[in-house]
Amino acid sequence: MEERSRVAPWAPPRAQRRLVELESETDGLGLNEIVRLVDAVLAEHRGRLDEDGVVLYAGTNTMSERARAAHEVSLGSRPSMGWPGDKFQTGLDELDMLEVLAPLQVAALMGGEFAEVRLQSATLANLACYTAFARPGDTIAVLPEAAGGHASHHAQGAAGIRGLRVVDLPYDADLFGIDHDALPGFLHEHRPALVVIGASLMLFPHDVARVRAACDEVGAVLVYDASHMAGLIAGGRFQRPLEEGAHLVTMSTYKSFGGPPGAAVVTRDEELARRVSAAAYPGLTANYDASRLAPLAVTAAEHAANGPAYADACVANAKALAAALAAQGFAVAAPHLGWTVSHHVAVDAAAFGGGDRAARLLAEGGVYLSGIGLPDQAPGEAMRGLRIGTQEVTRRGFTPDSMLEVAALMRGLLIDGRDPAKVLQEAVALRRSTQ
Ligand SMILES: *Cc1c(COP(=O)(O)O)cnc(C)c1O
């Protein structure tokens, strides 16, 4: 029998092999060796992804120089509980300013009035909404997983933890959007307390006003999960969910938004904000890692100062990449709809053994992204899509011309069967040429 991991003996076989291999390297290490090992890991990470990688993974980004310079890690171990002027702790007077600056900046940028910024992840931001607006046993309606509905919307994630019954919104796979004709009847039948839209793959905007009208008929609260779209929304592009009728926006602050890890919940409604705030603290956080607030405020201020330039560049790169991939022979999703109007592109990877397998091969050649379900895949079918996000490469100086080269790298790896080691050299050269 094969050796089993000590860290996670319950992990799947592929992980078992990797864990066991790593565990054997750590046996018997002393303090100095551990410090050296950690240094080596950090150096290798900076090299592989930050300096040399063509990172097209949609759920990541790189912070700006200014935001990074504002990240003072030591603040993270200073718990700050309660409001400025009324805190449990003393000696945090300077920090008070960050607790005012960050929420005001984020709220204004996203078209809201109130922002809860203490939640360390969008999963927790969604859980805060479930906690504030639904009781155990209530129903919530969310996008199907194959349409990019996130784990935190579904029963295996935060929604299940809150004890909610989860139903999938009617979805039109051909139009990559909610089935609006079926929606009102569906909501009348299921009477959800909450409707969650927004997804991990969003090629096209939602008709938020139409969803809101249907929600109003049954008294449902409408949450738009902008985890992936927050950077475009911040630039005034893609769509403006709060202006269009969403009660609340939840968002990751480190994906297209390009700030520190963490999340926000934004709304225009004081009563909704008050309930989310109580769910966040004292509900779901105590120490919330205040070190995030300074880079968050700086990132938000940069978006406000730079307007739509970054969002437009992300979208232009996505459109150029989609066109280049189609020209190279890839089955780019949604050809009849013009592929994308966001920074996301999806490719049907059935010909390459599915999205996960294709992503692993691309990584050998220095191109990093992930698989994703596609709306028209069969229930239970493994993720058939490859998901691409252009937000990080855009920040790193890639242009629509670079996208032709990215498409050629991907073709070399997936269609032409080129040697990944050779493609890796070209990927690194492309990445280094942009900075
Ligand atoms: C990434 C993502 C989340 C979770 O964000 P974390 O900050 O990783 O918890 C939630 N919702 C959607 C739609 C996402 O894509």
Side-chain angles (χ1 to χ4, degrees):
M1 195 184 124
E2 282 202 32
E3 218 184 324
R4 297 172 79 220
S5 159
R6 284 172 285 148
V7 169
W10 54 85
R14 189 164 71 181
Q16 288 294 320
R17 280 192 292 281
R18 175 77 174 143
L19 287 164
V20 167
E21 179 187 302
L22 293 169
E23 288 163 18
S24 71
E25 288 178 38
T26 66
D27 282 336
L29 297 184
L31 172 59
N32 289 338
E33 289 131 318
I34 286 178
V35 170
R36 264 202 300 279
L37 179 60
V38 167
D39 283 347
V41 166
L42 297 180
E44 198 176 329
H45 171 76
R46 279 191 291 272
R48 190 203 307 276
L49 289 187
D50 293 347
E51 289 161 22
D52 290 344
V54 176
V55 179
L56 300 171
Y57 179 63
T60 187
N61 213 326
T62 177
M63 277 200 276
S64 74
E65 287 295 332
R66 272 186 297 230
R68 221 170 311 142
H71 196 188
E72 172 51 58
V73 174
S74 68
L75 278 182
S77 50
R78 301 291 188 202
S80 169
M81 280 128 68
W83 298 113
D86 187 33
K87 271 185 200 160
F88 178 67
Q89 293 86 1
T90 56
L92 299 175
D93 302 7
E94 297 78 17
L95 208 153
D96 290 351
M97 177 51 83
L98 301 179
E99 291 176 334
V100 169
L101 197 55
L104 288 180
Q105 290 286 312
V106 171
L109 193 59
M110 302 305 287
E113 285 179 38
F114 306 95
E116 171 54 67
V117 296
R118 291 172 294 187
L119 297 153
Q120 293 100 328
S121 74
T123 294
L124 281 177
N126 287 335
L127 182 55
C129 290
Y130 307 154
T131 305
F133 307 113
R135 304 190 150 276
D138 281 354
T139 297
I140 65 168
V142 307
L143 290 167
E145 284 182 89
H150 188 257
S152 62
H153 305 163
H154 282 272
Q156 87 266 27
I161 285 182
R162 179 65 174 149
L164 303 176
R165 174 178 164 261
V166 180
V167 292
D168 283 354
L169 288 163
Y171 195 80
D172 186 332
D174 197 46
L175 292 179
F176 283 78
I178 292 162
D179 180 346
H180 287 283
D181 292 338
L183 184 64
F186 176 87
L187 295 184
H188 277 284
E189 182 190 343
H190 290 284
R191 297 263 152 196
L194 270 176
V195 171
V196 183
I197 58 175
S200 300
L201 174 66
M202 288 198 79
L203 303 173
F204 309 103
H206 287 307
D207 188 339
V208 177
R210 221 168 150 192
V211 179
R212 170 65 186 270
C215 285
D216 283 348
E217 286 182 28
V218 297
V221 173
L222 178 58
V223 175
Y224 183 112
D225 184 338
S227 286
H228 277 272
M229 294 300 134
L232 301 191
I233 293 165
R237 295 299 196 248
F238 193 64
Q239 65 184 156
R240 297 283 290 172
L242 292 174
E243 277 96 324
E244 293 162 29
H247 289 106
L248 301 121
V249 160
T250 59
M251 55 183 267
S252 300
T253 51
Y254 64 95
K255 297 181 180 174
S256 66
F257 198 76
V265 183
V266 189
T267 180
R268 302 176 147 190
D269 183 304
E270 179 178 334
E271 174 57 15
L272 300 183
R274 188 184 64 75
R275 287 161 71 175
V276 168
S277 172
Y281 176 79
L284 296 170
T285 66
N287 178 17
Y288 63 82
D289 184 3
S291 76
R292 299 181 292 108
L293 297 190
L296 179 58
V298 169
T299 304
E302 286 178 335
H303 282 302
N306 295 339
Y310 162 69
D312 286 341
C314 288
V315 174
N317 277 340
K319 288 185 170 173
L321 183 55
L325 286 169
Q328 295 279 12
F330 285 93
V332 181
H336 55 302
L337 303 170
W339 300 308
T340 184
V341 299
S342 76
H343 63 299
H344 282 175
V345 177
V347 172
D348 190 324
F352 318 120
D356 187 55
R357 187 158 176 275
R360 280 164 207 285
L361 186 52
L362 289 168
E364 286 181 41
V367 177
Y368 304 96
L369 41 64
S370 70
I372 188 91
L374 292 179
D376 65 346
Q377 68 176 55
E381 182 185 354
M383 291 182 298
R384 213 177 64 217
L386 270 179
R387 182 186 62 179
I388 298 168
T390 57
Q391 71 292 338
E392 176 166 340
V393 290
T394 298
R395 280 205 157 170
R396 295 199 186 279
F398 282 53
T399 61
D401 279 344
S402 332
M403 293 300 140
L404 301 174
E405 296 183 62
V406 172
L409 296 174
M410 292 177 65
R411 179 191 167 119
L413 289 160
L414 293 177
I415 296 178
D416 298 339
R418 291 187 58 211
D419 177 4
K422 293 229 171 69
V423 179
L424 175 62
Q425 290 174 357
E426 293 166 17
V428 171
L430 172 63
R431 169 69 187 86
R432 291 188 182 171
S433 74
T434 64
Q435 243 174 27

